[in-house]
Amino acid sequence: ALGNPVECKAKCAVMPEFELPDYKKIAASIKQQASSKKEEVEASEKEVDDVLLQIRKNKAHIEWHKNNPEADHHDHPDLEKEESLPELTDELAKEAGNFKDVEELKAKIKENIIEEKKQREADKTRAKMMEAILKDTTIELPEVLVEAEINKSIAQLKDDVARMGGSWEDYLSHTKKTEDDLRKDMHNSSAERAKIQLIFNKIAIAEKIEPNQEIMEQEVKVIKEHYKDASEQSARIYVATILINQAVLKLLESQ
């Protein structure tokens, strides 16, 4: 959900005044804590084997549907059995991603697992930085900003439900909640996200951070291609926010 220019003007008119804490000092402290607890990231043999098993299952599933084109379901319990799965061969490795052999495939899987673990740890550290900065920041948040954040979350949820082929009414029936119930459930987390975004924006102003124009133009073009009814201004606000947030997080990580 990209929002709209009218909503943006309303939000900009009520932006609260607040003082930032020493965000660089806070970020450096969190980073130091994370570094002191840091352990060497590894990928276990079982983790690699689990991925290899899934590759074999995927291959068996694809082959089954090739041989049974009339079938329109994906529930194949027999394909879970070892004897139903294709052998792990160099040929299968080539099909899985043009790897030279099984050993090269295993090496790539191991590398990916390690990178994913590192990224998860980095994400945790970033979240802790923002939580700590938020804790030391006093913001009197206008309800209109919280409502705007809730509206964005509801719109995104509706998009997700529609993309999966469901209806909003069926989703509400399944969760046994009304839309008002969902909005109430989202209130506290939405308020926190709104505050964090205000902090991102103020740090960006303080540090004179601007979105990369070349990347921005590329991303806006992609959005316009996928969302034909999205306004140019809304798309630019959306992309600029993401790029600025990323730049602020990099700044905090560099402390």
Side-chain angles (χ1 to χ4, degrees):
L2 296 178
N4 58 67
V6 174
E7 179 186 69
C8 178
K9 287 176 184 176
K11 286 165 66 178
C12 293
V14 294
M15 287 302 174
E17 290 294 325
F18 63 95
E19 294 297 321
L20 285 169
D22 190 340
Y23 51 88
K24 290 183 178 179
K25 184 178 179 180
I26 292 171
S29 175
I30 296 295
K31 184 178 177 181
Q32 187 175 20
Q33 291 173 28
S35 297
S36 66
K37 297 176 183 177
K38 203 168 187 179
E39 297 178 357
E40 186 176 352
V41 181
E42 296 179 344
S44 70
E45 195 171 319
K46 183 183 183 306
E47 288 173 318
V48 174
D49 287 343
D50 285 346
V51 176
L52 290 170
L53 179 61
Q54 191 57 53
I55 289 172
R56 294 169 66 207
K57 286 180 179 180
N58 291 345
K59 173 67 175 175
H61 187 90
I62 292 169
E63 289 300 319
W64 191 92
H65 277 281
K66 278 184 181 178
N67 297 328
N68 299 273
E70 73 289 348
D72 60 356
H73 64 90
H74 297 274
D75 182 23
H76 317 301
D78 289 344
L79 296 184
E80 297 294 314
K81 298 176 181 177
E82 176 65 30
E83 59 267 24
S84 301
L85 301 178
E87 187 180 348
L88 184 60
T89 62
D90 291 344
E91 189 60 37
L92 181 59
K94 290 174 185 176
E95 291 180 20
N98 200 28
F99 297 100
K100 181 178 64 178
D101 52 28
V102 172
E103 289 309 309
E104 187 174 83
L105 171 59
K106 286 182 178 179
K108 186 61 178 178
I109 291 171
K110 187 173 183 178
E111 178 186 324
N112 287 345
I113 291 171
I114 290 172
E115 285 306 312
E116 284 173 12
K117 287 184 177 182
K118 286 181 178 179
Q119 186 58 56
R120 282 198 296 270
E121 287 304 311
D123 289 343
K124 284 181 187 177
T125 301
R126 285 179 165 189
K128 286 178 181 176
M129 286 177 179
M130 293 313 300
E131 285 170 12
I133 294 170
L134 178 59
K135 186 179 177 182
D136 282 2
T137 308
T138 300
I139 304 177
E140 293 296 327
L141 195 65
E143 193 60 28
V144 64
L145 294 184
V146 183
E147 284 299 309
E149 192 65 38
I150 293 173
N151 290 341
K152 188 165 63 175
S153 296
I154 290 288
Q156 183 62 60
L157 187 54
K158 286 181 178 179
D159 285 346
D160 292 343
V161 170
R163 251 198 320 273
M164 291 186 288
S167 73
W168 184 237
E169 292 72 23
D170 287 343
Y171 175 82
L172 293 175
S173 176
H174 178 72
T175 58
K176 298 180 181 178
K177 292 187 176 184
T178 65
E179 186 169 321
D180 282 343
D181 291 333
L182 291 178
R183 296 179 74 87
K184 287 175 185 174
D185 292 344
M186 292 176 176
H187 188 277
N188 289 344
S189 59
S190 296
E192 184 172 296
R193 282 198 302 275
K195 287 179 181 180
I196 287 174
Q197 188 57 59
L198 289 172
I199 291 170
F200 271 127
N201 294 346
K202 192 147 189 172
I203 292 175
I205 292 171
E207 299 291 337
K208 297 181 173 54
I209 293 173
E210 297 284 347
N212 181 295
Q213 289 302 310
E214 185 178 345
I215 295 175
M216 186 161 160
E217 294 301 327
Q218 292 170 355
E219 294 300 320
V220 168
K221 184 179 178 182
V222 170
I223 287 174
K224 292 291 289 177
E225 287 172 355
H226 285 81
Y227 299 92
K228 304 296 183 184
D229 58 342
S231 74
E232 182 85 12
Q233 185 178 7
S234 292
R236 287 185 175 280
I237 291 169
Y238 177 77
V239 174
T241 299
I242 291 174
L243 294 178
I244 286 173
N245 290 357
Q246 289 173 346
V248 169
L249 286 169
K250 284 184 180 179
L251 170 75
L252 296 175
E253 286 178 320
S254 69
Q255 300 310 307

